[in-house]
Amino acid sequence: MTESFHEQLRIDSRFLKSDRRLDTELVDKLILQLNRIYPQILTDKEASRFRDLDVPTCIRLAELLNHLQEKGEEACREFYRALHLHVEDVYFSLPTRLRLRESGEPVVPITSPKHRYVMNDHSPFFFLSCFSVAVGAALLYYYGESKQVSGSSSALGLAAMGLSRKVRDVLIWYTEDGK
């Protein structure tokens, strides 16, 4: 993108003011997004002024756009991010977005400045193999402690885990006598 967000908002303002898809509810969502997530861009006092329902939505939106342009580049970028988040169809029909799409440049959504970390870029088979190794090591550790464990007594020992205290004591006593 060769244009700054400030310049794009100046170009898109006329379209945004005339678009009927931006009703009162959506404008309120945009204002709340800017106020709650970025209070340095839109303070509580400014947000309450732009959310005043006595003022028509088109006027509130026009005042909000002028205010954001006065705030600078960061405020304009956050407005575009909020618009993309809450009203995606309007975002992709903006004149600057249409021009980018027609010029052949890829239209990418605005990403946050924070790095997005990928927790796991491996396949599910990697997870299953790691899990099986962990289960195998746990079973080896559990059964490796006793010298000779018969199959029935070890099953009774495992079954005792979910039973009441008296039954568990009897089963554990039986498994200990078998050793």
Side-chain angles (χ1 to χ4, degrees):
M1 284 186 231
T2 57
E3 298 173 332
S4 67
F5 289 106
H6 186 270
E7 183 65 25
Q8 288 179 25
L9 189 58
R10 190 186 60 73
I11 294 169
D12 292 333
S13 288
R14 181 177 296 154
F15 174 80
L16 288 168
K17 291 173 191 175
S18 65
D19 195 343
R20 296 286 178 212
R21 291 177 286 185
L22 288 175
D23 60 355
T24 303
E25 182 181 343
L26 292 175
V27 171
D28 282 348
K29 281 183 180 180
L30 294 172
I31 292 169
L32 287 175
Q33 169 85 16
L34 292 171
N35 175 244
R36 290 184 181 155
I37 306 299
Y38 308 101
Q40 69 275 16
I41 293 174
L42 203 60
T43 63
D44 289 336
K45 184 178 178 182
E46 294 166 340
S48 64
R49 187 182 86 201
F50 293 128
R51 292 189 71 210
D52 184 13
L53 295 178
D54 294 335
V55 180
T57 305
C58 60
I59 294 174
R60 292 188 301 138
L61 181 62
E63 288 177 356
L64 174 67
L65 294 175
N66 289 335
H67 175 76
L68 292 173
Q69 288 176 4
E70 290 171 4
K71 284 281 192 166
E73 181 72 15
E74 182 71 20
C76 296
R77 178 178 29 198
E78 298 309 329
F79 173 77
Y80 275 110
R81 185 174 294 136
L83 189 66
H84 184 253
L85 180 69
H86 294 289
V87 200
E88 194 170 284
D89 56 332
V90 173
Y91 175 80
F92 284 115
S93 61
L94 291 171
T96 55
R97 299 289 161 224
L98 292 174
R99 190 172 18 159
L100 284 174
R101 195 175 306 146
E102 290 170 359
S103 69
E105 294 181 33
V107 178
V108 294
I110 302 169
T111 58
S112 66
K114 302 172 190 163
H115 297 293
R116 298 197 181 265
Y117 296 103
V118 176
M119 295 288 294
N120 186 1
D121 57 352
H122 299 290
S123 69
F125 293 112
F126 178 77
F127 169 75
L128 288 175
S129 62
C130 290
F131 184 72
S132 350
V133 167
V135 168
L139 287 174
L140 199 77
Y141 177 75
Y142 180 76
Y143 289 117
E145 289 181 355
S146 65
K147 307 240 186 306
Q148 287 182 331
V149 176
S150 66
S152 63
S153 64
S154 64
L156 288 175
L158 288 174
M161 295 168 108
L163 300 175
S164 70
R165 182 177 177 127
K166 290 181 181 178
V167 175
R168 184 177 40 199
D169 291 341
V170 170
L171 288 175
I172 291 175
W173 173 75
Y174 179 75
T175 55
E176 290 174 354
D177 278 350
K179 289 183 182 178

